[in-house]
Amino acid sequence: YPLNLRVLAASNEDLEQEVRENRFRKDLYYRLNVVNIHIPPLRDRPEDIVCLSRHFLDNYNYKFKKKVLGITPETMALFKQWSWQGNVREFRNVMECAMLMCDDEWITPQHLPGQFLNSDHPHRSSTNLHDTLLEQERLHILKVLEMVNGDKKEVSSLLGISLSSLYRKLNELNIEETFSNK
């Protein structure tokens, strides 16, 4: 019987380079490479994260019968600085996890998998270590402040720093006084 089929193949490798270095069969490459469509990885198109997040938010609101309105700017900033080694699949999994963890109207960093709050995680795309560490320190302090309803004595105790050091950090990291002065 005659067979009419098309093969659709995807790779995250540069197959032309792989052929040149004899790591991919030349004959197979030329059989597959009829139409070549290059789609840049998600890390190279952070502007798509907003659209993708809306799509996944709608899907998971329906699937999990939730009413999450959106993603906080702080969380979106984390998404945009992530390198997304697993591309859109990784982003989809992170969104699914966040939606499962979220019982609020907005997805915040606390709803994300732990690696997002780990400042030395290798998937951060920021190349400036100092800025990345400061941002993670800021996020952690905000999380602890929220956890104890702004009780700064409790925050300093939990962080293992003096109260005066905490106030210095709050000033240095531009953390607004949105919590009561306890």
Side-chain angles (χ1 to χ4, degrees), residues 43 78 81-86 90 115-116 118 120-126:
R43 68 184 156 274
L78 285 172
Q81 68 177 228
W82 198 253
S83 68
W84 301 111
Q85 297 295 309
E90 180 185 6
Q115 69 264 26
F116 277 87
N118 181 355
D120 61 353
H121 197 279
H123 291 249
R124 291 230 172 263
S125 63
S126 173

Side-chain angles (χ1 to χ4, degrees), residues 130-172:
H130 179 70
D131 290 347
T132 302
L133 291 173
L134 284 177
E135 181 58 23
Q136 289 311 302
E137 187 175 28
R138 183 179 184 282
L139 291 173
H140 185 68
I141 290 172
L142 282 168
K143 182 179 173 183
V144 175
L145 273 164
E146 187 175 320
M147 190 172 72
V148 297
N149 297 318
D151 184 337
K152 293 186 179 64
K153 283 186 180 180
E154 182 69 16
V155 171
S156 68
S157 174
L158 288 170
L159 294 176
I161 60 175
S162 69
L163 193 55
S164 61
S165 293
L166 174 63
Y167 279 106
R168 250 190 324 280
K169 283 286 175 196
L170 294 175
N171 186 41
E172 174 188 339

Side-chain angles (χ1 to χ4, degrees), residues 42 49 71 74-85 87 90-98 107-125 132 135-137 139-140 143:
L42 186 56
I49 290 174
I71 297 167
E74 187 177 24
T75 307
M76 189 58 73
L78 285 172
F79 285 164
K80 286 182 177 180
Q81 68 177 228
W82 198 253
S83 68
W84 301 111
Q85 297 295 309
N87 223 334
E90 180 185 6
F91 184 64
R92 182 192 62 211
N93 291 342
V94 167
M95 284 295 297
E96 184 173 12
C97 175
I107 292 177
T108 66
Q110 75 184 30
H111 300 121
L112 302 179
Q115 69 264 26
F116 277 87
L117 302 177
N118 181 355
S119 62
D120 61 353
H121 197 279
H123 291 249
R124 291 230 172 263
S125 63
T132 302
E135 181 58 23
Q136 289 311 302
E137 187 175 28
L139 291 173
H140 185 68
K143 182 179 173 183

Side-chain angles (χ1 to χ4, degrees), residues 3-19:
L3 183 64
N4 183 10
L5 83 111
R6 302 270 187 248
V7 174
L8 178 64
S11 175
N12 61 355
E13 300 295 329
D14 179 351
L15 292 183
E16 283 183 44
Q17 180 70 27
E18 295 296 305
V19 168

